[in-house]
Amino acid sequence: MASRKKILLKVIILGDSGVGKTSLMNQYVNKKFSASYKATIGADFLTKEVLVDDRLVTMQLWDTAGQERFQSLGVAFYRGADCCVLVYDVNNSKSFDTLDSWRDEFLIQASPMDPESFPFVVLGNKVDVEDSKRMISSKRAQAFCQAKGGIPYFETSAKEAVNVEQAFEVIARNALAQEESQDFNPDFPETIPINMNESNEGCSC
Amino acid sequence: MPQPQDAPPSPPSPTASFYDVSDDEEGEYSAIRQSKSNKGVKLLYAKSKVYVHPSASAKDNVAGYIALVEQKPVVGDGERRKSAVTHPPAVAGKSGKSDNNHNLLLSWLPEGSLGDGREKYAKADMAEADSPPHRPDLVPPPPVTTTHGASIGTYPFSVPLSEIYSILFRPPSSGWWHGSIVINTRTGESFPALFFHDNECQSTINQRKRLQRENFDIGSSSGGGMHWGGDEVMKWLKNHATVERSAHEPSLYLVDPTEDDQKAFGLSRRPTSDNVRNMLEGKDKGESSKQKKKEDPVGKALKEARWTVLEKLSQVTTFTRRTAQAVAENKNLPPPVRRLMQSPQVQSMSDEFDSARLYLARWAMSIAEQAEKERSQRIWTARDILEMEESELGSFEVLDAEALSLQDKRKPVTAEEWESFFNASTGRLEKTQLEVKERIFHGGLSKDDDVRKEAWLFLLGVYEWDSSADERKAKIHSLRDEYIRLKGAWWERLADDRGSLEEKEWWKEQRMRIEKDVHRTDRHIPLFAGEDIPHPDPDSPFAEAGTNVHLEQMKDLLLTYNEYNRDLGYVQGMSDLLAPIYAVQQDDAVAFWGFVGFMDRMERNFLRDQSGMRLQLLTLDHLCQLLDPKLYEHLQRLDSTNFFFFFRMLLVWFKREFEWFDILRLWETLWTDYYSANFHLFIAMAILEKHRNVILEHLKGFDEVLKYVNELSGTIDLPSTLARAEALFRRFQRMVEAIDRKDNFPSMPTVRQRLPQPPPSPSNSQTGASASGRERTAADNAAAGAGKEKEKVISPELRMLLSRDIPKLEKKEVREHGGGIGS
Ligand SMILES: Nc1nc2c(ncn2[C@@H]2O[C@H](COP(=O)(O)OP(=O)(O)OP(=O)(O)O)[C@@H](O)[C@H]2O)c(=O)[nH]1
Ligand SMILES: [Mg+2]
């Protein structure tokens, strides 16, 4: 029988302020939406136990403030993440444009072993809002995700609970795969080796 | 097996009638525990293509059957069962069902292990019956297990129904994965998940078709979801047992739940405090009511507090066994809670990651909190404070009598008293500034009249303390004009096409940000609740919801501040700071300037480089090191000395932690700068100290500390926190004095402030940029460098805490680090 040890999957949810990170998390964990969640200050997390195949895992979902200046203090949480969820608001093109920098910032701060294969999931939230307000088409978002190495993409509504469960199932699955791949190399170095200065010579770029 | 006459009469049910038939007509199947007489057991139902997934790889999957079989009653079985099944069934009328359930086995067998029985299983699978067959086939008995244990490789298992505590039913999910069930036994074991590969299972495919046909007229299937193999298993179970869904964990079903289980899982009506208390204290009703009569008030209060927490506990659907164990072994727990932790319903539940520690920690605190609240109902006496200090902070120096004659000082300042501070004809203050501040610091301002409206303007620096009534009138007048001018400026900005593209983008963004935040700020306060006017902008995301006049005023105010301080601009958190000021003033221009005054000191919290926040967190770090080294060490072990868990409290001055009226009281206290312009850090320390024992004993990681501290929100008692913070400040002050005396002997105390300061410890060396007021020369450093005692260090950050000067930023600093459009 596969080991029954408790697995904790750490998931970081990032995206501009107001795209609905807190609402998505609460919809997934508590199955409810409230229009009066306060703007997130600092950081918090919710946990949920789920079955991924026959593995009972605990997802620890980290929610941080979206305004970029608060990120510098939050990066401590990025370490040891198993999956990163990038959220934007389909009715707000700015929030889509910043996805790339959220991703880059995460990779820099979390410095995962193998950044190429680190699992991201992109969520386009607030699809319940009337079509006329929509700024980012599915096609455009899918093209972005394709270009970034095939990031799974979901269009969600935290308000009407559309696709939330499905998205988080994939998040859980990918996080578990990441966690397990980490298990084989348990003692990776805490800090990046000192190659910043040395590598300059050989690099012509 | 009980004699028939022992069982209460039960209505004919499939089970009952079947049972009669079986016993009379076919006595030849064996009781499987006596596996020597290997005649076989009755196969009631079976379903094929039920898999165990032993690894992540699909090629390791093992296909099998899930089945419900019935074995012959075992002789002497009644004895065994008495000890195994300690919980009486909840529903008397259905007890007939449960009586048989130790003979019914839920089994899973790999296809390869069926041998001769294979065809019979296949036949039972395809039998489309809603009730058990009249003449069930006999099959070889499956091995009975009540534990799963380390049976690696030996997959077949079978559990008596009476030993099943609950089953987790996870329906298949829109093509992502197979439906599955997990069986949990009364001993707290979980069996491996069984996956229903419905698309391979002919019987399920047939059932789906049939259901579709049947429901065609109605339009859709009743349950909402697609029929799957688990539904069949549920049907079998319901034919033989009481199956109830947990209210808290909707995919969890309890099998023959006891009354206690029902309470714990919120199955029936909400439990009353009495019956849960009885359950916890192991009393029957008679005893407890006798007990209640002789209860003293304190005991009663404790019980009430305990009850609220236990109610919460009963709603937590799980604890990991490990945690439950650790908690149960904690000697400090009162016996009822320890008993609760050991009860099977708690042990076998499964839910939140390590929540037990947090819940228990909170439970312990809520009792203390309750006691404290009671104490704060009356006036604080010197004795209370001394007691508090001795018990919670160890060796405290005795506070001077003056500070402790608090009875008068702790009454809030009323409008009448406030007026009496001023000269009736000139309107000039006749007391000293410090006297007034001391009064407000200790008593606060009355919430029952309008005194805050005026007093806050002094505290926020809108009015000069030495101004006359006429001067103040003139000041307000010109401030009103200035407000209108500033407001007009951004109005125009939005209306015309002036400004660079970048600037326009910024304004658009700031406006959106403000709007989003105002609509989620303090909406529970009547002033900000509800929407009764249409939104002025039909393109706003809030157009549909609408708005109200106060929300619109808040937005205008924040946009005006955005105009006023373009170097910084609006940053999240500011709406939280504005709301109380606006609510007290209810006059936009006046509120604006009050807010500006508040922001002058809060600006450093919102800089783009976060240097101000870092500095304060670092100062808290030093303060904790000095005042509570033991706690500090523990936090160090938990990687928590970044004190990030205080970020929210410091950023918006505890706005998210206290109730509305407490915030008004707290802020006016802090605005006095009576002891220190950074007194909010002592409030933070007071909160930390209050919870130190819980943190020391229960919290084992950074994430737990963060969660615990976040969840203090709404539970903190303000009066005692203020008193504790004051005591901490005075203690801090004395320690600094003592250390200075020691370090600088025989220097004259008068030059104390300029004497060499030891350097901060290495880990603390990078400090924030601004507002610390430290001035250290190279010579100072050299003098301090050699061999100072490590633990007694007054860092510049700490020394700053003794200052009453408000830490305001230079305009230049805001321009450089503000992150607004001006920078
Ligand atoms: N229509 C609609 N509104 C949503 C949805 N999700 C969130 N909102 C609204 O969008 C606003 C912001 O939601 P939050 O969940 O607080 O956003 P956030 O990403 O956590 O924001 P920060 O905490 O500031 O980073 C709120 O007013 C929500 O009610 C959605 O799916 N549909
Ligand atoms: Mg949020």
Side-chain angles (χ1 to χ4, degrees):
Chain A
M1 196 48 221
S3 92
R4 312 283 307 168
K5 83 162 192 224
K6 197 118 177 160
I7 302 169
L8 180 70
L9 301 178
K10 186 167 169 180
V11 176
I12 315 284
I13 305 177
L14 300 177
D16 280 4
S17 171
V19 296
K21 299 179 292 297
T22 303
S23 303
L24 279 164
M25 231 177 61
N26 275 285
Q27 178 59 259
Y28 176 56
V29 176
N30 301 321
K31 306 266 175 281
K32 61 181 190 230
F33 174 80
S34 151
S36 56
Y37 292 126
K38 298 177 175 183
T40 306
I41 295 178
D44 202 356
F45 63 83
L46 292 178
T47 54
K48 184 176 167 91
E49 278 206 349
V50 290
L51 270 179
V52 181
D53 296 334
D54 66 341
R55 313 288 297 271
L56 191 60
V57 302
T58 303
M59 290 227 273
Q60 191 182 54
L61 304 165
W62 284 83
D63 182 23
T64 55
Q67 194 159 1
E68 53 299 311
R69 70 186 63 198
F70 293 127
Q71 285 301 314
S72 67
L73 284 156
V75 295
F77 316 126
Y78 293 8
R79 254 170 216 291
D82 297 302
C83 181
C84 174
V85 183
L86 303 170
V87 187
Y88 76 98
D89 172 354
V90 298
N91 313 298
N92 176 340
S93 43
K94 171 100 196 310
S95 71
F96 178 73
D97 297 339
T98 50
L99 285 186
D100 218 13
S101 49
W102 280 114
R103 180 171 168 276
D104 291 347
E105 182 67 16
F106 174 82
L107 286 175
I108 293 167
Q109 299 296 347
S111 44
M113 280 262 291
D114 182 5
E116 290 301 307
S117 72
F118 187 87
F120 287 89
V121 172
V122 170
L123 307 183
N125 191 36
K126 308 199 190 181
V127 292
D128 57 283
V129 176
E130 56 182 291
D131 280 349
S132 65
K133 296 238 165 93
R134 182 145 182 170
M135 306 282 282
I136 304 296
S137 66
S138 304
K139 238 197 198 137
R140 195 161 151 212
Q142 270 156 2
F144 170 86
C145 292
Q146 270 311 312
K148 295 290 162 192
I151 301 178
Y153 173 65
F154 291 88
E155 301 204 335
T156 59
S157 163
K159 188 176 178 184
E160 323 245 277
V162 176
N163 249 347
V164 177
E165 192 75 30
Q166 288 85 339
F168 276 95
E169 279 174 7
V170 169
I171 291 162
R173 195 174 276 262
N174 290 355
L176 180 60
Q178 170 72 9
E179 168 77 17
E180 284 178 336
S181 80
Q182 297 280 304
D183 272 357
F184 295 114
N185 326 287
D187 41 9
F188 57 93
E190 251 300 299
T191 48
I192 307 162
I194 9 121
N195 56 9
M196 307 299 260
N197 303 323
E198 294 163 31
S199 61
N200 281 350
E201 269 184 82
C203 183
S204 59
C205 44
Chain B
M1 199 37 220
Q3 297 306 305
Q5 61 265 36
D6 286 352
S10 62
S13 70
T15 316
S17 56
F18 162 65
Y19 203 80
D20 295 342
V21 173
S22 313
D23 258 0
D24 296 344
E25 295 178 3
E26 324 167 34
E28 40 176 4
Y29 61 97
S30 75
I32 56 172
R33 280 178 195 274
Q34 303 165 316
S35 50
K36 279 156 243 156
S37 57
N38 204 5
K39 293 243 178 80
V41 294
K42 290 179 180 176
L43 177 61
L44 304 185
Y45 320 89
K47 178 149 283 293
S48 64
K49 301 298 173 192
V50 178
Y51 285 70
V52 169
H53 296 177
S55 78
S57 163
K59 68 178 192 301
D60 295 337
N61 293 352
V62 185
Y65 279 86
I66 187 168
L68 192 67
V69 302
E70 182 173 11
Q71 60 175 324
K72 187 177 183 168
V74 184
V75 185
D77 191 38
E79 276 314 301
R80 182 188 61 81
R81 211 164 48 81
K82 230 179 251 166
S83 57
V85 188
T86 50
H87 311 278
V91 188
K94 288 187 181 172
S95 64
K97 277 185 181 182
S98 309
D99 273 354
N100 298 330
N101 286 350
H102 56 294
N103 295 322
L104 291 169
L105 307 172
L106 192 60
S107 316
W108 180 81
L109 301 118
E111 279 174 4
S113 74
L114 296 177
D116 300 344
R118 179 174 263 280
E119 272 174 35
K120 290 173 179 164
Y121 275 91
K123 189 179 130 205
D125 179 24
M126 296 306 289
E128 295 220 350
D130 284 339
S131 50
H134 277 289
R135 288 184 169 271
D137 283 320
L138 294 183
V139 291
V144 177
T145 18
T146 48
T147 58
H148 165 55
S151 56
I152 296 167
T154 56
Y155 283 114
F157 64 81
S158 114
V159 202
L161 226 49
S162 58
E163 296 294 333
I164 298 180
Y165 182 65
S166 67
I167 304 182
L168 192 67
F169 278 85
R170 242 183 91 85
S173 174
S174 47
W176 284 106
W177 51 40
H178 301 293
S180 61
I181 67 172
V182 177
I183 299 166
N184 306 308
T185 69
R186 291 197 181 273
T187 54
E189 288 299 318
S190 294
F191 282 91
L194 300 174
F195 292 87
F196 292 78
H197 290 210
D198 291 327
N199 50 352
E200 297 166 33
C201 174
Q202 196 53 50
S203 65
T204 302
I205 294 168
N206 291 349
Q207 281 149 5
R208 278 183 181 168
K209 280 189 188 143
R210 186 165 55 109
L211 282 170
Q212 252 167 15
R213 270 198 313 274
E214 283 169 7
N215 291 329
F216 191 73
D217 299 330
I218 313 161
S220 71
S221 81
S222 51
M226 172 100 104
H227 178 82
W228 66 293
D231 290 342
E232 285 295 302
V233 175
M234 177 69 81
K235 206 156 71 186
W236 308 345
L237 292 173
K238 283 188 169 161
N239 283 343
H240 299 275
T242 307
V243 183
E244 287 196 47
R245 185 177 196 159
S246 157
H248 305 306
E249 173 86 66
S251 46
L252 193 67
Y253 291 80
L254 276 75
V255 178
D256 284 336
T258 63
E259 244 174 73
D260 291 350
D261 297 337
Q262 292 184 328
K263 280 171 205 152
F265 285 87
L267 294 178
S268 45
R269 66 237 117 70
R270 290 176 62 73
T272 65
S273 62
D274 270 352
N275 60 27
V276 171
R277 193 182 300 144
N278 291 339
M279 169 187 114
L280 291 164
E281 291 172 4
K283 284 185 201 130
D284 69 34
K285 273 174 189 135
E287 262 176 1
S288 108
S289 55
K290 242 185 284 162
Q291 174 80 10
K292 229 168 27 190
K293 275 180 205 133
K294 49 179 189 209
E295 250 170 27
D296 63 312
V298 175
K300 186 157 173 289
L302 281 179
K303 281 217 172 127
E304 291 305 322
R306 180 183 306 159
W307 151 241
T308 32
V309 179
L310 291 177
E311 188 186 36
K312 282 205 190 91
L313 261 176
S314 73
Q315 287 164 6
V316 181
T317 34
T318 22
F319 299 84
T320 67
R321 296 201 77 193
R322 183 173 58 78
T323 322
Q325 203 53 44
V327 169
E329 281 160 11
N330 186 327
K331 291 191 186 60
N332 296 329
L333 280 178
V337 176
R338 220 172 312 156
R339 222 173 302 133
L340 175 80
M341 298 309 298
Q342 284 157 350
S343 69
Q345 59 267 44
V346 168
Q347 294 214 351
S348 61
M349 292 184 236
S350 89
D351 177 57
E352 248 190 316
F353 172 62
D354 283 353
S355 55
R357 260 207 301 278
L358 289 175
Y359 270 89
L360 272 180
R362 210 169 332 287
W363 175 82
M365 276 324 291
S366 88
I367 286 189
E369 200 61 57
Q370 180 73 23
E372 197 147 277
K373 281 225 166 90
E374 262 168 34
R375 245 194 293 164
S376 70
Q377 307 283 309
R378 56 198 168 88
I379 308 287
W380 282 74
T381 64
R383 220 193 139 65
D384 288 330
I385 297 204
L386 285 174
E387 257 170 26
M388 182 186 81
E389 282 165 4
E390 263 154 28
S391 59
E392 290 172 33
L393 298 166
S395 55
F396 247 43
E397 292 169 63
V398 178
L399 298 178
D400 41 302
E402 189 229 2
L404 294 173
S405 61
L406 299 168
Q407 305 216 353
D408 275 348
K409 291 179 182 167
R410 288 182 191 275
K411 262 191 271 164
V413 178
T414 60
E416 196 185 343
E417 185 183 353
W418 176 260
E419 259 168 53
S420 75
F421 296 163
F422 295 85
N423 181 292
S425 58
T426 63
R428 278 193 205 276
L429 192 63
E430 292 192 318
K431 292 199 161 222
T432 67
Q433 207 188 109
L434 207 62
E435 280 172 320
V436 178
K437 286 183 171 176
E438 196 276 339
R439 231 356 235 111
I440 296 173
F441 182 91
H442 284 120
L445 295 159
S446 167
K447 63 177 172 30
D448 302 323
D449 53 39
D450 269 355
V451 64
R452 279 193 169 125
K453 260 190 188 168
E454 171 143 319
W456 277 24
L457 296 179
F458 282 89
L459 291 170
L460 288 167
V462 177
Y463 292 153
E464 303 292 334
W465 285 96
D466 57 2
S467 59
S468 69
D470 289 344
E471 282 162 358
R472 291 196 289 273
K473 219 173 263 169
K475 176 99 188 244
I476 277 291
H477 215 73
S478 74
L479 286 179
R480 268 189 206 287
D481 291 347
E482 179 63 5
Y483 175 70
I484 290 164
R485 193 190 65 75
L486 285 166
K487 192 170 160 184
W490 64 259
W491 261 102
E492 269 174 43
R493 209 181 276 283
L494 293 178
D496 352 318
D497 240 12
R498 274 189 302 148
S500 66
L501 194 69
E502 187 203 3
E503 229 173 299
K504 272 188 287 193
E505 257 312 294
W506 186 72
W507 274 95
K508 196 178 128 199
E509 218 181 280
Q510 290 296 81
R511 206 177 153 197
M512 254 174 52
R513 186 167 276 162
I514 288 169
E515 167 145 287
K516 250 181 216 141
D517 286 355
V518 166
H519 280 267
R520 36 182 189 162
T521 302
D522 294 322
R523 297 300 300 279
H524 62 292
I525 301 304
L527 192 71
F528 299 122
E531 292 91 2
D532 53 8
I533 60 172
H535 197 286
D537 176 5
D539 288 333
S540 156
F542 297 93
E544 218 176 297
T547 181
N548 70 53
V549 62
H550 300 291
L551 297 183
E552 293 306 298
Q553 294 260 40
M554 288 273 291
K555 291 180 204 170
D556 284 1
L557 281 160
L558 290 168
L559 275 165
T560 309
Y561 184 76
N562 201 53
E563 174 74 39
Y564 171 82
N565 190 0
R566 276 181 291 160
D567 292 330
L568 184 63
Y570 172 79
V571 182
Q572 280 193 314
M574 290 185 189
S575 64
D576 276 293
L577 298 186
L578 172 61
I581 298 178
Y582 174 78
V584 163
Q585 300 297 343
Q586 296 204 28
D587 173 324
D588 57 349
V590 177
F592 178 75
W593 294 106
F595 177 64
V596 167
F598 191 15
M599 278 310 301
D600 276 351
R601 71 154 84 215
M602 299 300 277
E603 231 174 354
R604 62 176 179 160
N605 289 10
F606 297 99
L607 297 180
R608 182 164 49 192
D609 63 5
Q610 293 289 291
S611 52
M613 287 303 295
R614 280 178 212 274
L615 174 66
Q616 291 169 74
L617 293 170
L618 179 69
T619 310
L620 202 53
D621 179 287
H622 291 190
L623 196 58
C624 181
Q625 235 173 114
L626 184 76
L627 293 178
D628 195 345
K630 187 175 171 211
L631 179 63
Y632 185 81
E633 251 172 51
H634 182 70
L635 291 173
Q636 229 169 0
R637 275 194 296 275
L638 307 189
D639 259 343
S640 297
T641 44
N642 50 26
F643 283 81
F644 184 85
F645 50 93
F646 271 109
F647 183 88
R648 184 170 80 192
M649 296 200 204
L650 301 189
L651 187 85
V652 291
W653 272 21
F654 313 95
K655 178 77 183 320
R656 301 284 179 88
E657 337 301 325
F658 289 101
E659 299 303 329
W660 179 262
F661 283 105
D662 280 348
I663 281 296
L664 307 187
R665 166 77 171 93
L666 173 63
W667 285 5
E668 64 207 13
T669 304
L670 294 175
W671 287 333
T672 64
D673 302 313
Y674 178 64
Y675 284 113
S676 162
N678 282 290
F679 197 72
H680 65 291
L681 296 178
F682 290 90
I683 302 283
M685 257 326 275
I687 293 170
L688 191 61
E689 279 300 301
K690 165 87 183 256
H691 296 268
R692 75 182 295 273
N693 291 339
V694 176
I695 295 171
L696 281 171
E697 275 167 35
H698 298 290
L699 304 186
K700 302 275 157 62
F702 169 70
D703 49 354
E704 289 182 6
V705 177
L706 181 87
K707 187 98 189 141
Y708 182 78
V709 172
N710 276 350
E711 291 190 358
L712 292 179
S713 174
T715 70
I716 311 171
D717 175 61
L718 183 62
S720 59
T721 303
L722 287 173
R724 191 179 294 108
E726 181 173 2
L728 279 167
F729 179 84
R730 296 172 77 89
R731 183 178 185 209
F732 167 72
Q733 200 175 30
R734 276 156 217 256
M735 281 177 91
V736 174
E737 277 165 15
I739 291 166
D740 282 350
R741 258 198 307 274
K742 188 161 146 254
D743 283 357
N744 304 306
F745 186 81
S747 298
M748 295 294 290
T750 45
V751 291
R752 202 167 55 217
Q753 291 298 331
R754 297 207 48 253
L755 282 170
Q757 291 157 359
S761 63
S763 65
N764 307 323
S765 55
Q766 352 86 305
T767 68
S770 55
S772 65
R774 74 199 99 107
E775 357 129 307
R776 227 183 311 141
T777 66
D780 284 343
N781 281 336
K788 283 270 147 46
E789 296 156 79
K790 195 174 156 265
E791 66 273 29
K792 299 284 183 191
V793 162
I794 306 301
S795 65
E797 289 77 18
L798 286 182
R799 202 167 290 280
M800 173 186 82
L801 293 175
L802 295 172
S803 164
R804 289 170 173 171
D805 295 337
I806 300 172
K808 287 184 186 168
L809 295 181
E810 300 283 330
K811 205 64 204 147
K812 183 169 145 276
E813 240 172 318
V814 184
R815 201 165 308 131
E816 273 164 23
H817 303 289
I821 195 74
S823 39

